[in-house]
Amino acid sequence: MDKRQKNQHELAFEDAGRGEAPRSSEGRVETTTAGLSTESQADTSKLMEEVCEKENLKEALRRVKANAGAAGVDGMNVAELAGYLRENWSRLKEQLSTGTYKPQPVRRVEIPKAGGGTRKLGIPTVVDRFVQQAVLQVLQKPWDSTFSDFSFGFRPGRSAHQAVAKAQEHIQAGYDWVVDIDLEKFFDRVNHDVLMSRVAQRVGEKRMLKLIRGFLNSGVLENGLVGPTDEGTPQGGPLSPLLSNLLLDVLDRELERRGHRFVRYADDCNIYVKSERAGQRVMEGVKRFLTRKLKLKVNETKSAVARPKSRKFLGFSFTGGKSAKRRIAPQAIFRFKERIRELTRRTRGISIERMIGELRTYMIGWQGYFGFCETSHILSELDMWIRRRLRCCVWKQWKHGRTRFRELTHRGVGKQLAAKTAGSAHGPWRLSNSRALAVALPNAFFISLGLPVLAS
């Protein structure tokens, strides 16, 4: 590609300075926390200029394109964004610089929740996502460095696995009762005034405050009508996770002040204590604090004081005792099996190669997360169960007795055993555990077709 062609593919942002949003060693905008610090409003007088710096904007565009996502209320997709910005950047920059940029309403989308029910997402337009991402990159590093060490969700350099490991550490230290707090519809019920008061403590620039308030109050398009948004921070925008952490940092600091051992990941907060009585006392105290200070409500049906082994946290649970081990929560295993059943239905009418290809995509992602468990026998049992289901599918595809006899003998099964199995009145599930199918369709056969092994 020559220089002229390359320039046509670059976003023609005006060069507003040489500054660049901080990047990690992997080239991402997100950076790891650098310990607790404070930030004064004197440091935030030119935030909008930082947002509009060329390199920051180029990185924001790259991230929005990489994250893809659906179109907003204007119908513009991510592929059209770069071209739109080339034509309209001067106007957008002027609006941001003068504090007159007005976000569009978000598009309401409902997606199924893993545990049942639906979760409401608010999908901003791709232009609004681009602006939010540019703002995020400027605010994230100075804000994140002040957050609690016991907060793990939506933070660079932190993960769900780290949160689970920290919870395990608390349990092994003898804090074997958990105050499991679930905030009721947190993202839908964030009080805007409470949140903006927290933002104003860190941001002194009126343009930035107005822009953030504009994203919160942009409205929502649902059933063809645009309604107001008087509360909540829509899930779906790049800025919402940072704002949620800013608000819930108030809770983190209060728990630290009280000397509690806890772990928070987004709106899931687990506090670890040494007795049920202490747990009940903590639960009542935290509920009062959330209601009075943050105008938030605890979901009574999903919150409880219990032993950690009877609760789930980020898909994991724990065995009992001071040597508590990480295990996969029963609900997560149930959902995994439901998905595997969908992919291995005997009536799907697809080849075993294609079926294993689809299984592979799902299983690799699942293993990447739940392989963090310390109860490998569960993974071994799931491996055996999946292979039995695949043997059922193959047996079903062979259909007739003659075909089954031929396939069995061809794959090394003796004629007598092959004839007995092919003529059996038992169903596919019973036969999937038979010696004949174990010989004809060994584990190595499925592995050769690309089936992952969970217990590897």
Side-chain angles (χ1 to χ4, degrees):
M1 181 181 292
D2 59 31
K3 184 175 182 180
R4 179 179 179 183
Q5 288 175 313
K6 182 177 181 180
N7 288 339
Q8 288 176 344
H9 287 274
E10 280 192 23
L11 186 57
F13 288 128
E14 294 183 15
D15 196 345
R18 297 180 59 190
E20 183 176 18
R23 303 187 185 200
S24 69
S25 59
E26 296 177 346
R28 299 174 298 184
V29 169
E30 289 91 350
T31 58
T32 56
T33 57
L36 298 179
S37 64
T38 58
E39 179 188 6
S40 69
Q41 290 188 357
D43 301 323
T44 65
S45 59
K46 294 186 178 181
L47 287 176
M48 199 61 74
E49 281 70 27
E50 292 182 47
V51 168
C52 293
E53 285 180 351
K54 183 176 180 180
E55 293 303 317
N56 186 55
L57 295 169
K58 288 172 67 176
E59 178 63 16
L61 176 62
R62 186 189 71 80
R63 292 302 302 271
V64 170
K65 290 171 68 175
N67 291 334
V73 295
D74 60 357
M76 184 188 303
N77 60 45
V78 173
E80 300 173 280
L81 178 59
Y84 176 86
L85 291 175
R86 277 194 291 269
E87 297 294 328
N88 296 277
W89 173 241
S90 295
R91 177 177 58 83
L92 291 176
K93 181 183 178 183
E94 181 180 0
Q95 291 175 350
L96 291 171
S97 299
T98 58
T100 58
Y101 182 86
K102 187 175 181 180
Q104 296 190 61
V106 299
R107 182 168 65 88
R108 177 69 77 206
V109 175
E110 293 189 1
I111 62 171
K113 296 174 67 174
T118 59
R119 174 180 285 111
K120 291 184 177 181
L121 297 184
I123 308 300
T125 65
V126 292
V127 176
D128 283 342
R129 294 210 293 272
F130 165 74
V131 175
Q132 284 194 37
Q133 180 65 38
V135 171
L136 172 68
Q137 292 166 185
V138 170
L139 298 181
Q140 187 170 54
K141 183 179 180 180
W143 287 16
D144 189 87
S145 64
T146 69
F147 292 157
S148 169
D149 284 338
F150 300 102
S151 164
F152 293 88
F154 306 131
R155 296 185 62 187
R158 291 174 171 250
S159 68
H161 285 173
Q162 291 174 338
V164 173
K166 178 58 70 174
Q168 182 182 20
E169 181 182 315
H170 292 327
I171 297 167
Q172 291 176 340
Y175 295 79
D176 53 357
W177 284 86
V178 61
V179 182
D180 186 355
I181 295 175
D182 183 273
L183 296 176
E184 188 171 295
K185 298 182 179 179
F186 169 72
F187 285 94
D188 296 330
R189 295 185 174 174
V190 169
N191 183 284
H192 288 176
D193 291 334
V194 174
L195 174 57
M196 287 306 301
S197 71
R198 296 293 301 169
V199 175
Q201 291 177 19
R202 296 168 180 256
V203 174
E205 184 179 333
K206 292 183 179 180
R207 294 174 299 176
M208 181 63 73
L209 292 172
K210 183 178 179 181
L211 179 62
I212 294 175
R213 172 73 81 165
F215 282 122
L216 295 175
N217 295 338
S218 62
V220 58
L221 177 66
E222 192 169 15
N223 299 322
L225 299 174
V226 175
T229 47
D230 300 321
E231 60 181 6
T233 172
Q235 287 180 272
L239 199 54
S240 291
L242 180 63
L243 295 177
S244 69
N245 269 333
L246 176 65
L247 182 65
L248 290 176
D249 188 61
V250 180
L251 172 63
D252 297 340
R253 296 307 178 188
E254 178 64 16
L255 295 177
E256 289 179 350
R257 187 186 69 79
R258 297 183 185 185
H260 290 313
R261 295 194 175 215
F262 70 97
V263 180
R264 184 177 65 78
Y265 191 96
D267 55 337
D268 287 334
C269 183
N270 280 6
I271 306 167
Y272 295 89
V273 296
K274 290 191 173 182
S275 70
E276 183 178 13
R277 183 178 178 182
Q280 296 293 352
R281 186 173 61 250
V282 169
M283 174 69 83
E284 292 305 313
V286 171
K287 284 163 60 176
R288 285 195 300 271
F289 177 82
L290 288 168
T291 301
R292 295 174 183 175
K293 185 75 173 180
L294 299 181
K295 311 299 182 186
L296 296 172
K297 184 178 180 182
V298 171
N299 188 325
E300 300 284 353
T301 61
K302 294 185 178 180
S303 301
V305 176
R307 294 289 191 181
K309 65 180 181 180
S310 66
R311 305 296 294 178
K312 67 179 179 70
F313 182 55
L314 303 177
F316 290 90
S317 184
F318 302 93
T319 60
K322 290 188 177 180
S323 60
K325 293 183 178 180
R326 300 184 297 270
R327 67 179 184 181
I328 305 170
Q331 301 93 321
I333 293 176
F334 175 81
R335 290 193 295 269
F336 174 78
K337 285 190 166 186
E338 285 293 292
R339 181 56 178 155
I340 296 298
R341 287 188 181 99
E342 290 176 8
L343 294 173
T344 58
R345 287 198 319 271
R346 297 195 292 272
T347 57
R348 290 193 67 196
I350 63 174
S351 68
I352 196 67
E353 290 81 7
R354 179 180 168 186
M355 185 177 290
I356 288 177
E358 294 178 4
L359 281 172
R360 178 179 177 82
T361 300
Y362 174 67
M363 289 173 63
I364 286 178
W366 191 89
Q367 183 190 37
Y369 184 75
F370 287 104
F372 188 59
C373 76
E374 295 176 313
T375 49
S376 58
H377 68 278
I378 297 296
L379 299 179
S380 297
E381 291 172 5
L382 290 173
D383 279 328
M384 291 188 288
W385 178 75
I386 292 169
R387 289 191 293 264
R388 280 195 69 177
R389 289 195 63 83
L390 289 173
R391 291 186 180 105
C392 284
C393 293
V394 175
W395 189 250
K396 182 75 172 179
Q397 290 175 358
W398 287 347
K399 291 184 179 180
H400 306 296
R402 289 183 178 179
T403 303
R404 290 169 174 173
F405 176 79
R406 183 179 68 247
E407 291 290 344
L408 289 174
T409 54
H410 178 70
R411 294 167 184 265
V413 180
K415 290 185 177 181
Q416 184 176 358
L417 179 58
K420 182 179 178 181
T421 306
S424 173
H426 293 306
W429 181 249
R430 173 81 173 268
L431 292 174
S432 67
N433 203 34
S434 67
R435 186 161 64 92
L437 285 186
V439 172
L441 301 170
N443 298 350
F445 168 73
F446 296 114
I447 293 174
S448 71
L449 295 180
L451 182 70
V453 178
L454 297 176
S456 58

